[in-house]
Amino acid sequence: MFNLIATSLQDRLLRIAVLCVFLTGFAHSAISPFLSIIAIEHLGFSTFDYALMQVFSAILSVGASITIGIFTDQTGRYQDVLITSILAGIATGAIMYFLPSQLSFIIMLTVLAPIAATGFSQYFALAHLAASSNKKLNKDFSTSFVRAAYSSSYVITPTIVATIFASGADIWVILAFRQLSRSLCWRSSSPLGQKTPHQSGQQHRALHF
């Protein structure tokens, strides 16, 4: 097990996937439990309005993820997709932190959040690509490693958030932490190389750093 982890961490592409999916999980798990509080108690939405926006956001997220998945499979433009999704994630926190309003919340939940969500599946695609390009990696373990990193963020984050609230911080501070997490994700992904286009059935080319 430890040998598999050590080997996995030696691959830069897989390290990026693991780190960024952890930061993505941190950003999501930090704010998602409080979205209803922000929407209903702080911004004055009705429970029906909030539920409707959540349904609409979920539908858009699924559609966007499928569309982006097809796009990256056909073009190999992982970097463009990831950077765009990360920047959208940063914007979700920024717009609510600096311009808290009902309009900002609607834009955040129904426009920016679905775009930001498209990056999640791409990290698993990168892990698969890393395993395909690096014969030292175990394909099954690489995918499991990314899943474990995402799951661990949901274990760690509640303790951090609880500590923040125990110190007397306002709920809006969590949005600042979301921005920080997404910014670190963007910084971590910045060395990601541009992969050349490929079609289905062609062998994946290795990314160069």
Side-chain angles (χ1 to χ4, degrees):
M1 175 67 72
F2 291 106
N3 289 336
L4 288 173
I5 294 176
T7 302
S8 298
L9 292 177
Q10 289 174 5
D11 186 275
R12 190 170 191 179
L13 181 58
L14 187 54
R15 286 203 311 270
I16 290 175
V18 169
L19 176 60
C20 289
V21 82
F22 174 82
L23 292 171
T24 299
F26 179 88
H28 185 265
S29 59
I31 193 63
S32 58
F34 307 105
L35 281 179
S36 59
I37 296 175
I38 293 174
I40 297 171
E41 295 186 10
H42 289 266
L43 299 178
F45 284 106
S46 68
T47 54
F48 176 80
D49 290 339
Y50 174 70
L52 187 62
M53 285 188 290
Q54 282 285 17
V55 170
F56 189 59
S57 178
I59 294 173
L60 288 178
S61 295
V62 172
S65 294
I66 294 173
T67 302
I68 291 300
I70 296 172
F71 173 77
T72 53
D73 282 344
Q74 293 178 344
T75 65
R77 296 177 63 179
Y78 293 99
Q79 184 182 29
D80 293 342
V81 170
L82 286 174
I83 295 301
T84 300
S85 67
I86 293 169
L87 290 177
I90 294 174
T92 59
I95 192 172
M96 286 304 301
Y97 186 79
F98 294 107
L99 298 170
S101 66
Q102 288 191 347
L103 178 60
S104 296
F105 189 87
I106 293 172
I107 294 173
M108 182 271 291
L109 194 61
T110 62
V111 179
L112 296 175
I115 296 175
T118 60
F120 178 75
S121 60
Q122 296 308 308
Y123 292 125
F124 288 91
L126 289 177
H128 177 75
L129 179 59
S132 299
S133 304
N134 186 347
K135 301 305 179 182
K136 295 181 180 180
L137 297 176
N138 181 290
K139 291 184 179 181
D140 293 334
F141 182 80
S142 297
T143 304
S144 298
F145 195 14
V146 175
R147 287 198 186 101
Y150 183 72
S151 299
S152 64
S153 67
Y154 278 79
V155 176
I156 297 172
T157 305
T159 303
I160 297 175
V161 172
T163 303
I164 293 173
F165 283 142
S167 67
D170 189 85
I171 193 171
W172 301 104
V173 174
I174 303 301
L175 291 169
F177 273 86
R178 178 186 176 92
Q179 288 175 257
L180 175 61
S181 178
R182 286 293 194 173
S183 298
L184 290 173
C185 192
W186 173 79
R187 181 65 184 87
S188 301
S189 297
S190 59
L192 187 62
Q194 182 85 21
K195 184 177 176 293
T196 57
H198 67 281
Q199 298 296 331
S200 178
Q202 290 183 306
Q203 183 178 7
H204 290 299
R205 295 182 58 183
L207 296 179
H208 300 284
F209 300 95

